[in-house]
């Protein structure tokens, strides 16, 4: 398992940071969107001929009450992301957890999206940059804390 580790280090270099392009207007903060993270990671993975196979596992679904008394579903998902070197067949597996809450049928999709986003953020040690300098380096970053 020597080749894939070297490739993974290259992917880590290429995915060292991602801009916070999303804005939560209600809570007034900026965040890195899942689309931005996945676009950056996928570009590097495909450049290095790494295939990804994502397998989600539903850990729980429960009904929760909101502050307004509405009932919503809270789903928690674990994803396993197997990265496979298309040349050698070597693979490594990344894992991520995510939760999503929604009044309709989107709780599971939100949880899967969060789990995949954070599997890559944590495994690649991505910095979340508030803004990027013209050189592409972050001016401010956020350290990820374990759950």
């Amino acid at each position: 398992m020597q080749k894939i580790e070297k490739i993974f280090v290259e992917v880590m270099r290429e995915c060292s940071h991602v801009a916070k392009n999303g804005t939560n207007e209600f809570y007034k903060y900026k965040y890195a969107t899942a689309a931005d993270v996945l676009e950056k990671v996928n570009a590097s993975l495909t450049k290095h001929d790494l295939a990804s196979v994502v397998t989600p596992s539903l850990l729980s679904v429960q009904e929760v009450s909101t502050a307004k008394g509405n009932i919503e579903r809270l789903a928690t998902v674990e994803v396993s992301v197997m990265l496979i070197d298309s040349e050698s067949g070597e693979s490594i597996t990344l894992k991520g957890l995510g939760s999503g809450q929604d009044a309709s049928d989107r709780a599971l999709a939100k949880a899967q999206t969060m789990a995949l986003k954070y599997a890559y953020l944590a495994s690649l040690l991505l910095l979340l940059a508030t803004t990027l300098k013209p050189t592409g380096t972050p001016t401010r970053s956020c350290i990820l804390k374990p759950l």
Side-chain angles (χ1 to χ4, degrees), residues 29-57:
Y29 67 87
K30 297 193 61 76
Y31 63 94
T33 67
D36 287 340
V37 172
L38 297 178
E39 180 179 17
K40 185 159 200 156
V41 170
N42 189 57
S44 184
L45 294 178
T46 56
K47 175 183 171 184
H48 295 286
D49 295 323
L50 291 178
S52 63
V53 177
V54 179
T55 306
S57 297

Side-chain angles (χ1 to χ4, degrees), residues 5-15 44 48:
E5 292 166 348
K6 289 180 182 179
I7 294 171
F8 193 70
V9 169
E10 286 303 313
V11 172
M12 289 177 74
R13 278 192 190 104
E14 293 170 6
C15 297
S44 184
H48 295 286

Side-chain angles (χ1 to χ4, degrees), residues 78-122:
E78 178 183 63
V79 296
S80 293
V81 182
M82 185 185 319
L83 302 180
I84 307 162
D85 177 25
S86 62
E87 188 177 301
S88 70
E90 294 175 342
S91 67
I92 57 173
T93 301
L94 317 176
K95 293 207 180 245
L97 292 173
S99 293
Q101 185 172 321
D102 197 80
S104 63
D105 63 347
R106 294 185 304 252
L108 183 58
K110 289 178 178 182
Q112 285 180 195
T113 300
M114 291 301 292
L116 182 57
K117 174 183 168 179
Y118 284 100
Y120 284 129
L121 284 176

